[in-house]
Amino acid sequence: RDRVALIAFGGRGAELRLPPTRSLVAARRSLSALVGGGGSPIAAGFAMAAEQLIRLRLQGDDTCLVVLSDGRANIARDGTPGRPRAMEEAVAMARRLSTLTSHRLLIDTSARPEPAAARLSDAMAARYLPLPMARARGIHEAIQAVRRLPTAT
């Protein structure tokens, strides 16, 4: 019944890799095709996520946001490099995301828990899950837990 969308952010911007779909096969294929490393325009990805959340809510969908990132923003929304500005923009967009859905999870993809990811999770008021400590079952349980949270009205 659920629909899933996938937004990838890398290089100098963000891209909607998978528009909202109920196809589990398409979702798995898109997720497995993701690569890490390189530029992290996190604020651009968050801005695109905000657009999708708004669109889905207008369609009457209950939304859940799951972010996979190490949190180390280094590309600003205009595509220019620079960690301080990129992180400031990412934190601001994370705060905006906190107002768009009650169901939020940030999965820290770094090898060890990353303070930058925890900072974004805090700004987003999201549950924080360091990936090295998570297994598939733990990730599934974390997503189910945030989906059980009451919806803000």
Side-chain angles (χ1 to χ4, degrees), residues 40-59:
S40 295
I42 294 173
F46 284 1
M48 188 171 283
E51 292 170 13
Q52 290 299 311
L53 288 168
I54 291 167
R55 183 173 292 118
L56 291 167
R57 286 189 59 183
L58 288 173
Q59 294 172 6

Side-chain angles (χ1 to χ4, degrees), residues 56-82:
L56 291 167
R57 286 189 59 183
L58 288 173
Q59 294 172 6
D61 288 345
D62 184 28
T63 57
C64 177
L65 175 66
V66 179
V67 174
L68 287 88
S69 177
D70 63 8
R72 291 180 285 202
N74 59 10
I75 304 291
R77 284 187 68 186
D78 66 3
T80 59

Side-chain angles (χ1 to χ4, degrees), residues 3-67:
R3 291 192 299 166
V4 65
L6 181 67
I7 297 168
F9 49 90
R12 297 188 178 276
E15 175 186 0
L16 180 62
R17 292 272 181 93
L18 181 67
T21 182
R22 286 186 171 86
S23 171
L24 184 57
V25 172
R28 283 184 180 164
R29 188 179 310 126
S30 294
L31 190 57
S32 67
L34 287 179
V35 294
S40 295
I42 294 173
F46 284 1
M48 188 171 283
E51 292 170 13
Q52 290 299 311
L53 288 168
I54 291 167
R55 183 173 292 118
L56 291 167
R57 286 189 59 183
L58 288 173
Q59 294 172 6
D61 288 345
D62 184 28
T63 57
C64 177
L65 175 66
V66 179
V67 174

Side-chain angles (χ1 to χ4, degrees), residues 61 91 107 114 120-121:
D61 288 345
V91 167
I107 300 172
E114 173 60 47
L120 288 178
S121 179

Side-chain angles (χ1 to χ4, degrees), residues 90-143:
V91 167
M93 287 305 303
R95 287 188 183 116
R96 179 165 183 237
L97 288 171
S98 74
T99 68
L100 298 176
T101 182
S102 298
H103 313 294
R104 299 171 302 278
L105 171 65
L106 189 141
I107 300 172
D108 181 348
T109 60
S110 52
R112 289 182 294 283
E114 173 60 47
R119 180 176 176 203
L120 288 178
S121 179
D122 287 345
M124 195 183 309
R127 180 169 178 189
Y128 172 76
L129 182 64
L131 189 59
M133 298 171 193
R135 300 287 179 253
R137 183 171 190 79
I139 292 169
H140 175 75
E141 289 170 357
I143 291 170

